[in-house]
Amino acid sequence: MFSITVRDHIMIAHSFHGEVFGPAQRLHGATFLVDATFRRAELDADNIVVDIGLATQELGTVVGELNYHNLDDEPDFAGTNTSTEFLAKIIADRLADRVHAGALGEGARGLAGIAVTLHESHIAWASYERTL
């Protein structure tokens, strides 16, 4: 399996519901490094996985929709714990939508999957992987 990974970052505010979250139940900020990995079994006609420039651009667009937002105020996330794992899935699904819409070029239609990893710190991160 071939892959390329592009990186961006996101800064959000949110709070959690549930004792398991301890002090994170209160409103707090979070900054994540966001890695998006695109995979395919065979290279495309240009011998690439996907156009790295378009992948970088589309990741930037997707995270830009969330950047500097208080997720507690976003209607799409009402009543939802916007955990790191949850946000990785949201970003992966939104990238998949962009692949299906053709935003990453025709060659991207041959992608097999996307994995998104959000790094909370140098010692903790969470990922979500999906097929296309």
Side-chain angles (χ1 to χ4, degrees):
M1 190 69 66
F2 294 95
S3 68
I4 62 124
T5 301
V6 295
R7 176 173 278 181
D8 206 322
H9 73 282
I10 186 172
M11 292 180 268
I12 56 97
H14 62 170
S15 61
F16 294 123
H17 304 285
E19 291 298 318
V20 68
F21 295 104
Q25 291 176 83
R26 294 186 300 273
L27 183 64
H28 62 279
T31 300
F32 300 103
L33 281 177
V34 182
D35 290 333
T37 300
F38 300 84
R39 293 189 172 96
R40 68 186 307 143
E42 301 295 331
L43 298 176
D44 72 5
D46 295 311
N47 267 349
I48 61 174
V49 172
V50 69
D51 182 320
I52 200 166
L54 288 176
T56 301
Q57 176 182 312
E58 294 306 316
L59 176 60
T61 298
V62 168
V63 298
E65 295 168 352
L66 301 171
N67 204 24
Y68 291 110
H69 287 210
N70 178 348
L71 301 184
D72 294 351
D73 295 339
E74 295 296 314
D76 287 348
F77 306 133
T80 302
N81 281 329
T82 52
S83 66
T84 306
E85 299 90 331
F86 175 84
L87 291 174
K89 181 179 186 318
I90 291 295
I91 293 168
D93 288 346
R94 290 181 179 183
L95 283 171
D97 290 344
R98 300 190 75 76
V99 167
H100 294 307
L104 280 85
E106 284 303 310
R109 296 194 190 281
L111 289 170
I114 296 174
V116 171
T117 301
L118 272 66
H119 301 264
E120 291 188 47
S121 71
H122 65 288
I123 59 170
W125 55 88
S127 300
Y128 177 77
E129 187 169 350
R130 58 162 292 158
T131 59
L132 290 174

